[in-house]
Amino acid sequence: MKIHTTQNLNSLGRMQSTNSSTITNDEIRLNYSEQMRKQKLLHAQPDSYESGVSFKGKKEIVKKVIQKAADKETMKDKFLKSRFFDTTLNLMGHEVLVQSLISAVICMILRPATIMAIPTKKNKQDNMYASAHSMSSGAVGIVASILIATPFSKGIKYAKNNLLPNLKPDILKKKYPHLNLESIWKDKDAKIKKPFKEWKDKSKNPFSTDVKDTLTVARPTHLSQVSEKTLNKQFNLNIDLNAMKDKSVNEWVDKNGKKIHIDLKDMFIAVKEEGMESTLHLKDYENVNFFSLKHIDESFLKEIMPDLDTASIEKNGKRLHPDFWKKKDGTPYNLDMDMIHISSYRETKHATPLYTGAKREGTTKEEKYCSYQSNTVEKDKDGLSKEGVPDKLGTPVTQEMLNADAANEISDKWLGWLPDIATRIPIAAGTIMLIPWILKHIFGLEKSKKPAESVTATKEIVPAKQEINTRKAVA
């Protein structure tokens, strides 16, 4: 089933993944919140962005990747785009508060229900007291988190976003190794800093602290599977698909009889490589990823197109359209259009990273594909990147950047937890003193006192023989 309406890219904000324990720090992933912000709902798993990609296998171009799954909007999709889910994502950023909410559910609902359900031969008022005690404890815990931990959490986020320019250069260098420190100063004496928006990274691109905000595109679809409406409206092909349905894409012509022409920026190829984990999540294409012909790496291109003269693909530093590519013998390189896929959110709600085939710098274990920050892409008022392949790639994400980002996340979490840790003992002590008052004056309950034990006089029984002997001794 084709989707003919352009996706509405609603902004749902960012979140910290709740399953972060399953995501390795040295992996770039499609941040789930970013997926929601850019493509309504992206079905790629958060940790699948580059997980397990290797370069051990032989590379082979896949002519046609068949999209078997229908892109119908489900109730799940609608829920994930709702304002309620948006608020939940923002709430999940305050970990201490989330933990308190979970504890409150246990203390205020589950535990009291369990206590009251237990049959007892004793006074039921004790069960009521224990239930009220649990509910009070949960309520005090969540109020304390809201009043103490949450303001600190918000303060840390504010400091991270607004006080960054005031950090010392040596700290900036450690936290953000891709920052060009020379670009932050107005004067040669390095005393006056430029506004943060004017800072540059080592690639001479606008500096961005978010190394996981990387370029993604709509998962490319083979030309034969794209709807006529999309081909004509978005790609201006003016084609009648019914007339072309039994022909190879190489033979497609428009309604005027001219051979169709697709812009270089819209052209993708699918490459299969054994041992490579893909972002497709299709059973028949587990080792397939897509690569943009506009930005594809030359060395990578040599491997998959051995007859191509890679010196012919650029002129004056600009990538040429495949119509101008040549073979090594100087003859024209006729690109097989049957292997071309195009990217459009009219056809799918899935996304895939913008890969070029270049390797990530600084990888220590297995080689990884390099991803690129979205810091060169124009964004709208909601902070969303424009759809499609940009003319210029963003800053390449290196392993050093990912390692520093992982360290920054840990330090930020510690800063968020410290207030809660420091105040936990006084809060616990205050809770112990406050709960009896709450129970008495709000719930009208007091712990039942144990009945006083009756004291009965006991007379020692002396055997008769021993009693006679005692009398004799007295006499």
Side-chain angles (χ1 to χ4, degrees), residues 305-318:
M305 298 181 182
D307 296 335
L308 176 66
D309 178 13
T310 53
S312 69
I313 68 174
E314 289 189 359
K315 185 176 182 180
N316 299 325
K318 186 178 180 180

Side-chain angles (χ1 to χ4, degrees), residues 336-383:
D336 185 0
M337 293 299 291
D338 276 324
M339 68 183 186
I340 297 300
H341 299 69
I342 58 177
S343 171
S344 172
Y345 283 115
R346 289 176 177 267
E347 299 298 312
T348 181
K349 61 190 175 187
H350 298 266
T352 188
L354 181 59
Y355 286 143
T356 65
K359 300 176 183 179
R360 185 197 300 172
E361 180 184 331
T363 306
T364 54
K365 296 180 181 178
E366 292 184 346
E367 300 283 8
K368 309 290 181 182
Y369 282 137
C370 179
S371 298
Y372 303 87
Q373 287 185 287
S374 62
N375 52 351
T376 58
V377 182
E378 186 179 349
K379 299 184 179 181
D380 60 21
K381 61 181 181 179
D382 295 321

Side-chain angles (χ1 to χ4, degrees), residues 263-464:
D263 290 341
L264 175 63
K265 67 181 179 62
D266 297 321
M267 301 173 77
F268 289 80
I269 57 173
V271 178
K272 180 176 183 179
E273 182 178 355
E274 295 301 327
M276 174 193 298
E277 189 169 323
S278 170
T279 59
L280 288 184
H281 298 286
L282 298 175
K283 284 186 177 181
D284 298 334
Y285 299 96
E286 292 180 355
N287 304 315
V288 176
N289 277 306
F290 293 103
F291 300 85
S292 164
L293 284 185
K294 179 176 178 62
H295 297 292
I296 196 166
D297 184 69
E298 285 190 27
S299 59
F300 186 82
L301 201 55
K302 282 182 181 179
E303 293 185 61
I304 59 176
M305 298 181 182
D307 296 335
L308 176 66
D309 178 13
T310 53
S312 69
I313 68 174
E314 289 189 359
K315 185 176 182 180
N316 299 325
K318 186 178 180 180
R319 180 65 53 88
L320 298 174
H321 192 277
D323 290 347
F324 300 98
W325 293 4
K326 297 185 180 299
K327 294 183 178 180
K328 291 180 179 178
D329 60 5
T331 59
Y333 186 90
N334 295 318
L335 185 68
D336 185 0
M337 293 299 291
D338 276 324
M339 68 183 186
I340 297 300
H341 299 69
I342 58 177
S343 171
S344 172
Y345 283 115
R346 289 176 177 267
E347 299 298 312
T348 181
K349 61 190 175 187
H350 298 266
T352 188
L354 181 59
Y355 286 143
T356 65
K359 300 176 183 179
R360 185 197 300 172
E361 180 184 331
T363 306
T364 54
K365 296 180 181 178
E366 292 184 346
E367 300 283 8
K368 309 290 181 182
Y369 282 137
C370 179
S371 298
Y372 303 87
Q373 287 185 287
S374 62
N375 52 351
T376 58
V377 182
E378 186 179 349
K379 299 184 179 181
D380 60 21
K381 61 181 181 179
D382 295 321
L384 303 177
S385 303
K386 286 191 173 181
E387 182 183 342
V389 177
D391 292 330
K392 182 183 177 183
L393 293 174
T395 302
V397 178
T398 66
Q399 192 63 40
E400 184 184 18
M401 292 166 63
L402 290 174
N403 294 340
D405 185 65
N408 293 340
E409 285 184 357
I410 293 172
S411 62
D412 289 345
K413 283 187 177 181
W414 270 110
L415 287 173
W417 290 341
L418 280 176
D420 185 64
I421 295 172
T423 57
R424 183 52 54 193
I425 294 176
I427 288 175
T431 301
I432 293 171
M433 293 186 293
L434 188 61
I435 285 179
W437 184 91
I438 295 175
L439 293 173
K440 183 177 180 180
H441 293 86
I442 296 179
F443 292 96
L445 295 172
E446 289 188 83
K447 192 171 183 180
S448 59
K449 298 179 181 180
K450 291 183 179 180
E453 294 183 0
S454 58
V455 181
T456 58
T458 58
K459 182 178 180 181
E460 184 179 0
I461 301 174
V462 182

Side-chain angles (χ1 to χ4, degrees), residues 65-77:
V65 177
I66 301 173
Q67 310 283 5
K68 292 184 179 180
D71 280 340
K72 291 180 66 177
E73 185 175 59
T74 62
M75 291 297 294
K76 177 184 175 184
D77 299 341

Side-chain angles (χ1 to χ4, degrees), residues 184-245:
I184 72 175
W185 302 109
K186 275 186 177 181
D187 58 337
K188 295 181 179 179
D189 298 329
K191 291 183 178 180
I192 303 175
K193 289 182 180 178
K194 293 180 181 178
F196 178 72
K197 291 182 179 180
E198 297 180 17
W199 290 14
K200 303 290 183 182
D201 58 27
K202 292 180 180 179
S203 299
K204 297 182 180 180
N205 294 323
F207 171 64
S208 172
T209 60
D210 191 353
V211 300
K212 293 189 180 74
D213 180 16
T214 52
L215 292 171
T216 60
V217 293
R219 191 170 74 188
T221 306
H222 191 264
L223 277 170
S224 63
Q225 295 176 285
V226 180
S227 67
E228 183 177 312
K229 189 173 183 179
T230 298
L231 290 173
N232 293 338
K233 254 195 164 183
Q234 184 172 347
F235 299 99
N236 301 315
L237 294 186
N238 189 28
I239 192 171
D240 180 5
L241 278 185
N242 288 328
M244 301 293 117
K245 63 180 179 180

Side-chain angles (χ1 to χ4, degrees), residues 32-44:
Y32 189 69
S33 173
E34 188 63 21
Q35 295 176 37
M36 295 302 299
R37 295 177 71 244
K38 291 183 177 179
Q39 295 91 20
K40 275 191 170 184
L41 171 68
L42 308 185
H43 286 180

